[in-house]
Amino acid sequence: MPNDRADSSIEASGSSGSSETSGIPETSQSSSAPSAPSAPSALAALPALFAEESRVRAFAAVALGAGDAAQVAGAAGLSAKETAGALRRLREQGVVTSGDDGGLVVAHGRFRELARVGRTEPRAPREAAAAGGDGPGDMIVRTFVRNGRLVRLPARWTRKKVVLRHIAEQTFAPGVEYPERTVDEKLRAWCEDGEVDHVTLRRHLVDFGHLRRSDGVYARPADSARTGTG
């Protein structure tokens, strides 16, 4: 592994899927819907939830009055499997639920709850990091990450782990699933004008345990701050 001369200056200072049937599942089959995640977690998950076109189309169909899976499939132009998967994720996040008559409805109360959380959320981690810190980890990050861009990765394993953890925490919400194209888009922003390309950065994040990959879908584990067994 090549030497990283910049390191010396620092040293001186110090996981889806459920089996789908070929037919359109009936709403009544979901007798015990999973509990919706907490509002802060759900708020962080919304961008990824609606990053998938099938979920957007299914949600729009419900908003326009489709009351069951068959109606959603017809209105949204989705297959039975796509419909089942989209509705399952929308229900899991609590944005679609069953109305008094058992039909599908948009959970407007859930969106009001998320809006309240959004207004009271503390400053984003990236903003807090921009304010600066004096710990060893902050010093390492400031050396290799400047203006929200990764200049290069440290040569030493321990420092590389710190930088990768910082990027993972600033970019991905824990437990949220991201398709590979979304991961690549997010990581390209870190790699502009740097020495590391987004594919290499993605591989390092997986190797160090800050992202987990399954069938082309990535997620940051909640305990990623303590992982890193490269």
Side-chain angles (χ1 to χ4, degrees), residues 1 7 27 46 52 56 65 71 86 94 120 122 124 131 133 135 138-139 144 155 168 178 180 185 187 206 218 220 229:
M1 190 171 292
D7 287 357
T27 304
L46 276 183
E52 179 62 47
V56 176
Q71 292 176 6
T120 58
D138 297 311
M139 295 169 62
F144 296 99
Y178 300 88
E180 186 167 282
E185 288 171 3
L187 295 182
V206 172
Y218 295 76
R220 176 166 78 89
T229 56

Side-chain angles (χ1 to χ4, degrees), residues 156-165 168 203-212 221 223-230:
R156 294 194 179 186
W157 181 85
T158 53
R159 292 169 185 169
K160 185 179 294 183
K161 182 171 64 172
V162 170
V163 173
L164 291 169
R165 182 174 67 239
R203 186 176 67 249
H204 278 303
L205 288 168
V206 172
D207 289 345
F208 278 71
H210 296 305
L211 282 181
R212 290 176 182 166
D223 61 347
S224 64
R226 296 186 295 278
T227 60
T229 56

Side-chain angles (χ1 to χ4, degrees), residues 14 24 26 45-47 55 67 78 94 96 105 109 111 132 134-135 142 163 185 192-193 199 202 213:
I24 300 283
E26 294 296 331
L46 276 183
R55 296 171 202 155
L78 299 173
V96 165
V105 293
F111 282 101
D134 296 322
R142 286 202 302 271
V163 173
E185 288 171 3
E192 290 178 10
D193 303 321
V199 175
R202 168 162 50 82
R213 181 181 186 276

Side-chain angles (χ1 to χ4, degrees), residues 116-142:
R116 286 195 298 271
V117 170
R119 288 194 294 269
T120 58
E121 279 285 280
R123 290 185 308 166
R126 187 183 291 273
E127 295 175 9
D134 296 322
D138 297 311
M139 295 169 62
I140 293 171
V141 169
R142 286 202 302 271

